Amino acid sequence: MTKFLVWIETKFMPPMAKLAEQKHLKAIRDGVISTLSLILVGSFFLIIANPPIASWAEAIAPYTADIVIPFRITMGLMSIYASYGMGYSLAKSYKLDGITGGVLSLATFLMLTVPVNVDALLPEGQGIGWVLPMGNLGGAGMFSAILAMIFAVESLRFFKNRNLMIKMPEQVPDSVARSFEALIPGAFVITIVWIIRVLLDFDLNSFILSIFTPINDILGNNLIGVLVPVIFITLLWAAGVHGMSVIGSVARPMWLVMLDANGQALADGAAPNQLPYIAPEQFYQWTVWIGGAGSTLALCILLLFAKSVYLKQVGRFSIIPSLFNINEPLIFG
């Protein structure tokens, strides 16, 4: 056992600690987490539209389509919000302008979705012009949003480091100067994506999903796929590294794809026991990590009755966060 712990500390922990600080993974983590509030709000409306009591469900059935609109605008567009957040975070890590990085990432991601003219599908005089299909703007487009963010911000950094930008005089307001600085990188990024998506007719979203769908099936509907993240997260915690920060940076985009697929299926009328994925991130939160990573709620309760004054204090200030699966105060305490 001692040799195993030494191996964790000397061989396993150092590369994992470096991975947790990798700029692109940190940007993905920060950008995805920035969408959490919108996901929670959208989920509330989804719960209201699908109450667990049959009589309530029948009463609100005529209004379900209207009730789930906030869900479709929040979770249904989560990749849009995440693309901006990830681009902002990565640009700031390079000491570039965060707003420019976020906007370029968002524009690059939207360029991957071809607008559709729906006038021909509607009666004459009722046309609404061009629309963006929402199918790839939610969780299904998360991997494309990540690639778009990396390409956009790295291109911005490339042009910035080589001074291939339009410089404005100091008297020009910063907001205007930033717009002109982003002109050349923006033209480059959008042109490249336009060539790939429109001229070459290469659907990056479909290609990436075809690659990651088998992985999602393993992570979302397979016991081994569930155990692997749990084992790595607990090993990292045992070595003193925040396990969810490392593993979550890699797995959370896939978990969000599963969550979005489940939410869309539920909003479209699927039964709760017929959703496509069993184990998105919420599965871990409410069936594996009771009280936080390591299922420490029971330990927190035991500490409330400890003879040690210090341990009793740790239990007291940790009990409330532990009820919400936040156990950093307990672990570090």
Side-chain angles (χ1 to χ4, degrees):
M1 187 64 182
T2 302
K3 291 182 179 180
F4 178 67
L5 292 176
V6 170
W7 177 82
I8 289 178
E9 293 182 0
T10 59
K11 303 296 184 181
F12 184 70
M13 186 175 72
M16 291 296 102
K18 291 182 180 179
L19 186 65
E21 297 302 316
Q22 206 277 333
K23 291 182 183 294
H24 299 91
L25 288 181
K26 285 183 67 176
I28 294 170
R29 181 186 66 208
D30 295 344
V32 170
I33 289 177
S34 69
T35 67
L36 182 59
S37 59
L38 296 176
I39 292 174
L40 290 174
V41 171
S43 299
F44 285 138
F45 284 90
L46 190 59
I47 293 172
I48 294 172
N50 296 272
I53 301 175
S55 59
W56 293 5
E58 292 177 3
I60 67 171
Y63 313 103
T64 299
D66 292 333
I67 294 174
V68 298
I69 287 177
F71 162 79
R72 300 193 186 281
I73 299 300
T74 52
M75 283 191 64
L77 299 175
M78 73 166 74
S79 291
I80 289 182
Y81 309 121
S83 65
Y84 179 88
M86 292 186 294
Y88 182 93
S89 178
L90 184 59
K92 295 292 287 186
S93 70
Y94 286 135
K95 302 187 184 305
L96 301 172
D97 181 64
I99 296 176
T100 301
V103 170
L104 280 182
S105 298
L106 176 57
T108 304
F109 171 63
L110 291 178
M111 277 295 301
L112 296 174
T113 301
V114 177
V116 177
N117 189 348
V118 298
D119 283 356
L121 305 177
L122 297 173
E124 186 176 353
Q126 298 183 15
I128 58 175
W130 294 84
V131 300
L132 280 177
M134 292 180 60
N136 292 323
L137 301 183
M142 188 59 67
F143 300 115
S144 300
I146 292 171
L147 291 180
M149 172 272 298
I150 294 174
F151 177 59
V153 177
E154 291 295 343
S155 297
L156 178 64
R157 184 165 75 107
F158 175 85
F159 282 92
K160 178 76 172 180
N161 291 342
R162 288 160 179 75
N163 290 320
L164 299 175
M165 290 182 165
I166 298 176
K167 297 290 185 180
M168 302 299 291
E170 294 183 359
Q171 297 81 1
V172 176
D174 290 341
S175 58
V176 178
R178 285 198 302 264
S179 299
F180 278 92
E181 287 180 355
L183 185 59
I184 296 177
F188 171 78
V189 168
I190 291 175
T191 301
I192 294 297
V193 178
W194 171 70
I195 291 173
I196 294 173
R197 183 64 187 93
V198 179
L199 296 187
L200 300 180
D201 194 24
F202 179 70
D203 191 344
L204 185 63
N205 283 308
S206 299
F207 176 74
I208 294 176
L209 281 178
S210 67
I211 295 175
F212 281 96
T213 295
I215 300 175
N216 285 346
D217 289 337
I218 295 173
L219 283 177
N221 295 316
N222 185 282
L223 178 60
I224 295 177
V226 171
L227 289 177
V228 168
V230 172
I231 292 171
F232 277 103
I233 289 170
T234 48
L235 281 176
L236 288 168
W237 270 118
V241 177
H242 198 301
M244 184 54 74
S245 293
V246 179
I247 304 303
S249 298
V250 177
R252 185 166 283 118
M254 289 179 277
W255 286 336
L256 281 178
V257 171
M258 300 177 204
L259 178 63
D260 179 66
N262 285 351
Q264 295 291 348
L266 192 61
D268 293 337
N273 62 347
Q274 295 179 341
L275 300 181
Y277 295 105
I278 296 173
E281 186 176 5
Q282 289 65 32
F283 173 85
Y284 297 87
Q285 293 172 348
W286 305 119
T287 61
V288 179
W289 306 130
I290 306 300
S295 301
T296 55
L297 181 60
L299 173 61
C300 189
I301 295 173
L302 287 174
L303 291 183
L304 296 175
F305 303 96
K307 292 183 179 180
S308 169
V309 176
Y310 172 73
L311 292 179
K312 186 176 291 187
Q313 290 176 341
V314 172
R316 286 176 179 174
F317 66 65
S318 301
I319 184 65
I320 299 300
S322 292
L323 294 176
F324 297 91
N325 288 358
I326 300 171
N327 65 345
E328 283 84 353
L330 179 66
I331 291 178
F332 294 121

